[in-house]
Every structure is written in structure tokens, then in C-alpha cells.
Amino acid sequence: MVRVTPLILAVALFMEQMDSTVIATSLPAIAADIGTEPISLKLALTAYFVALAIFIPISGWMADRFGAKNIFRLAIFVFMLGSLACSFSYSLETFVASRFFQGIGSSMMTPVGRLLLVRSTPRNELVSAMAWLTVPALLGPVTGPLIGGFLTTYLSWHWIFWINIPIGIAGILLAGRYLKVIDARNPRPIDVVGFILAAVCFSGTIFGLSVISLPALPIVYGYLTVAVGVVSGILYLMHARRTKYPLLDPALFRHKLFRSSMIGGSIFRVGVGAVPFLLPLMLQLGFGLNPFQSGAITFVSAIGAIMSKFLAEQVYARFGFPRVLGFAAFFGGILIAAQGFFTQGTPAAVMMGVLLAGGILRSIFFTGSNAIGYADIDNEEASQATAINAVAQQLSIAFGVAVAGAIIEISSRAHGGGLTLIDFQVAFFVVGALSAIAGIVYFRLPRDAGSDVSGHKPAVIAKE
């Protein structure tokens, strides 16, 4: 069960993660087919992220109210319908609406899938289960550009959405047959005011960051919506302290390991979220590669993710969470920054070696970071924890793309020309440094933190 359950859940995570990156490769072809400009079509990316921001906070309540397994299967079905709608879109408006609908399904798949895993897995097996769950999910972002580039170049952009259908059907059938999870129900009342405030907070912040990084609209709208999101977030925190059943309970941050996981994971994910935005652009605009060639290079980090599966459980059992997470974050950030040294003359083997090592460290990090976050969380709080974790992931990724986009913009204006290689190099250095800082969060933890989950037994110094 430690392998079957996470692999079934990873079907949905793979589909969601791949879809979010595959579309970026195909934007020019889709725009040409439906009669619009690629920059305008980036509104579809924003609509998807806004849907995630609105509905992720309610995923925990939905799972507790109607059953996590039921919501998980329903979410896959909604995602499939959204994929079909995208493939049949004929205008900018229909495509944006279809992506928003697809995002509703995606908003439930990831947090509810992780909730099912936490509830069905003993804590001492959680690292292994998270490894099996994390690897397929990490394959999505790196295989997305490769698959998207191939399908768009040699078949049709419609195929990037049609391939979700057989994957989704398999996920629904496998979940119904093999997921043996105690579907506990907790019919607590829904926090309507909290839902509205959280929706405005997270959607405003993500929409604003998306506009700032990918300006399909005047950039002033981005700053305004971020400001509205921040104000709504402050109002939500004030509301959550006064209500008995808050939608997302900030009291969970009283748990030290959960708090460290959220803070450290979010900081590290800033750099990780920026790489899928920066690297394909640098390879295509800076080095002149086509989408398929670019995807063939970035794909190697997926191999690193697979290799890490065979290392994670043993490494955490041997050295414990704090040291492994600290070193993985620090050196993972260094390897992100190292991509800023790539030039047109850099051998492909060298680039692939850096990406391979980065994929290993990134996968080891997320396996451990996700596991330690639940070390001091009980099953009754798990639904809240998974929703908060999912929101934090989306915000940090959006922030990473926004930071990378802002750095490129500032750098290009500084030298008064169009995009050059130096602009990408500066961006890689900055986001890599940010990711490396995450290591400090974990180095500050006691060496035996989360040892009941990792299986690590710290050495005891004998006293004379």
C-alpha cells in the first residue's frame, strides 16, 4: 500500500503539473489557430492560477464534508472536462474560460490527493510514500515542454489536452478500485466570510504577480490587485482569530515543524518556480533552440527526480531531516544559480549534468519537506494542513516567476536594449541565492526533528 496509494494519487499530480507547463510551449501555435496574439493568450495562464487560488482554500472543507476519495475522483473528472473544453476552444474568451474551469478541478486534485496519502499512511512510512508521490509529480514540469514541443511541432496543439483524457480515466478507475482509505467526515460549517476574503487575497495576489511577470495587461493592474490581495489577507487573519471554524486555520503555524516546512519550502520554491520560466526562454531566445530541442535538454532533470526516489528514504533515515533538507536547499540553490553560467558554447552534456544533479536534490528536498510538515500534525488537522500547503506552493511559484520576470525587465532596461544573455544570468543568480537561503530554516531545527517520521536515530554521546 505504501507504493500503490501514492502512485495512484500521483496520476492526478502528474497530469496537473505537466499541463501547467506544456501549454507555455504551445502558446504561439494556439494563438495563431484561434486568431489572437500570444501575449494576450497568457491570460489563460493567469485564469488557471486564479481558479487555483480561489478554490484551493475550500478543498479541505470539501474533503471533510463529502469525503476525500469522492472529491478526488470528482476533481479528476472536472479537470478532464476542462481539458476537452480547451481543445475545442475557438476564441480567446472560450479558451480563457476553459482554462479557468480546468483550474477548478486542479485546485482539488493536489491538496486532496496529498490528504488521502497522509490519512492512509503510517507516519513512519511517510517519507517513502512521499517519495513515490513526489517523483511522478516532478516529472510533469520537465516532460511538459518536451511533450508539448513534440505534439505541437509534429501533430497539433489539441493533443496536449487530449492526452489528459486516458490518464484521467485511469486515475478515476484506479482510485475507485485500489484506494483503501477511511473516509472520515467532519460536517463543520463552512466559513463563508473566510472563503470570500481568502479568495480575494490569493486570487488577487496570484493574478497581480502573473500580470507583473507576464504583462498581458497594463502592469498597473498587477500592482493594484496585489495590494487588494494583501489587504484582504490581513482582513482574513483578523477574521480567522474571531471565528470558531476558520476556512484555513492560522493556528496550525503553532506547530514548529509544520511552520518550518511552510517557510523553508516556500522560499526554496521561489527559485524552483522561476526555472521553468527562465530556462526555456534562455535556451530558445538566447541560444536559438526550438521548443523540442529545449525540452530535450531540460528533460534530464526528470531522470534526477527518478534517481532520488532510491536515495531519499535511506538518506533521511541516516542523517535526519534538518541536515539533509538544509544541504539539499543550499546546494539546490547553488545549482539553480549555476545555470546562469550557461552560454551558447556550453556543451549540452555539462548543462544536462547540472540539471541532473539539480533534479536529484530538488526531489530529495520536496520529499523531506512535505513529510516533515506532517510530523506534528494529527489526522484531524490534516485537511487544513494540505490546503494551506497547496496555497503556499501556488503563491511561492507565482512569486518566483514574478521575481524572475521583474529581474529580466530591470536588467534589460539597465543596458537599454532588448533581452540578452546577461539578463537571464542575473535572474538565475538572484533566484538561486533565494532558494539557497531556505537551508537556514532547516539548519536551525534540532537534529532529531521529525525523527519518528524519518526513522533517524541521533547518536547518543555516552557520559563518563
Side-chain angles (χ1 to χ4, degrees):
M1 183 60 68
V2 72
R3 296 184 180 182
V4 173
T5 298
L7 287 177
I8 293 173
L9 300 176
V11 170
L13 269 66
F14 171 80
M15 189 165 55
E16 185 262 331
Q17 292 287 332
M18 183 185 69
D19 194 83
S20 64
T21 54
V22 71
I23 186 175
T25 306
S26 307
L27 280 181
I30 298 173
D33 195 43
I34 65 177
T36 189
E37 296 295 325
I39 191 66
S40 298
L41 199 58
K42 287 176 181 177
L43 287 172
L45 299 176
T46 302
Y48 183 85
F49 287 126
V50 167
L52 293 179
I54 292 174
F55 293 100
I56 281 176
I58 206 175
S59 62
W61 179 85
M62 292 282 289
D64 286 343
R65 179 67 178 82
F66 301 105
K69 183 176 175 180
N70 294 333
I71 295 300
F72 179 72
R73 298 176 74 196
L74 177 63
I76 297 177
F77 181 70
V78 171
F79 187 86
M80 289 166 54
L81 291 181
S83 296
L84 285 175
C86 288
S87 69
F88 289 109
S89 297
Y90 55 86
S91 66
L92 175 63
E93 293 77 14
T94 57
F95 191 72
V96 170
S98 298
R99 283 291 286 174
F100 183 86
F101 184 73
Q102 193 182 32
I104 295 175
S106 180
S107 70
M108 301 287 168
M109 288 197 304
T110 301
V112 175
R114 188 170 284 114
L115 172 62
L116 284 167
L117 183 67
V118 172
R119 285 181 173 173
S120 63
T121 306
R123 289 298 189 267
N124 62 340
E125 297 179 357
L126 196 55
V127 172
S128 178
M130 284 292 181
W132 284 99
L133 178 70
T134 301
V135 171
L138 286 173
L139 292 178
V142 292
T143 57
L146 180 64
I147 295 174
F150 177 83
L151 293 176
T152 303
T153 302
Y154 300 108
L155 293 174
S156 165
W157 66 266
H158 303 83
W159 281 92
I160 68 177
F161 297 105
W162 289 340
I163 59 175
N164 289 331
I165 306 306
I167 298 174
I169 291 174
I172 292 174
L173 295 177
L174 290 172
R177 181 174 179 83
Y178 294 107
L179 278 186
K180 308 299 182 185
V181 182
I182 300 175
D183 224 351
R185 307 292 178 92
N186 181 14
R188 70 184 190 278
I190 185 172
D191 178 14
V192 178
V193 175
F195 172 65
I196 295 172
L197 289 174
V200 175
C201 170
F202 299 131
S203 63
T205 303
I206 287 182
F207 178 83
L209 291 174
S210 298
V211 171
I212 292 170
S213 59
L214 301 171
L217 296 173
I219 201 167
V220 65
Y221 292 127
Y223 293 114
L224 287 174
T225 51
V226 167
V228 171
V230 171
V231 172
S232 298
I234 295 172
L235 293 175
Y236 175 81
L237 290 175
M238 296 170 60
H239 163 78
R241 292 172 181 172
R242 297 193 304 266
T243 188
K244 185 177 181 180
Y245 298 104
L247 186 71
L248 297 175
D249 192 354
L252 263 67
F253 284 89
R254 71 185 185 277
H255 299 295
K256 184 175 183 179
L257 298 184
F258 177 77
R259 183 173 67 249
S260 298
S261 174
M262 292 300 98
I263 295 173
S266 295
I267 295 173
F268 185 75
R269 201 173 281 108
V270 169
V272 174
V275 169
F277 169 72
L278 286 173
L279 190 56
L281 280 178
M282 186 174 74
L283 293 176
Q284 294 178 41
L285 299 181
F287 299 173
L289 303 181
N290 64 38
F292 183 66
Q293 292 171 323
S294 170
I297 291 177
T298 59
F299 175 77
V300 73
S301 60
I303 300 175
I306 294 173
M307 292 171 61
S308 74
K309 187 264 159 251
F310 303 101
L311 300 173
E313 188 175 4
Q314 291 78 11
V315 169
Y316 282 114
R318 174 68 178 84
F319 299 104
F321 280 126
R323 283 183 291 178
V324 176
L325 286 170
F327 280 111
F330 179 76
F331 289 106
I334 294 298
L335 288 173
I336 290 174
Q339 296 173 46
F341 291 106
F342 292 169
T343 66
Q344 285 180 293
T346 303
V350 173
M351 290 191 286
M352 294 172 77
V354 172
L355 296 177
L356 177 70
I360 293 173
L361 288 176
R362 189 166 64 247
S363 181
I364 289 176
F365 176 87
F366 285 128
T367 296
S369 181
N370 288 331
I372 194 176
Y374 293 98
D376 50 3
I377 296 290
D378 58 38
N379 282 340
E380 291 183 0
E381 295 176 314
S383 61
Q384 290 269 331
T386 53
I388 292 173
N389 186 26
V391 169
Q393 289 183 16
Q394 294 302 324
L395 287 174
S396 56
I397 290 173
F399 186 70
V401 175
V403 168
I407 294 170
I408 289 176
E409 181 71 16
I410 293 170
S411 178
S412 62
R413 287 184 179 180
H415 59 68
L419 286 179
T420 62
L421 181 59
I422 188 65
D423 303 324
F424 293 103
Q425 292 174 330
V426 171
F428 273 116
F429 296 152
V430 173
V431 298
L434 285 174
S435 287
I437 290 173
I440 298 174
V441 176
Y442 299 101
F443 282 132
R444 291 171 59 88
L445 293 173
R447 287 197 171 188
D448 62 347
S451 57
D452 55 332
V453 174
S454 67
H456 175 60
K457 294 179 173 56
V460 177
I461 299 176
K463 294 183 179 181
E464 293 293 337

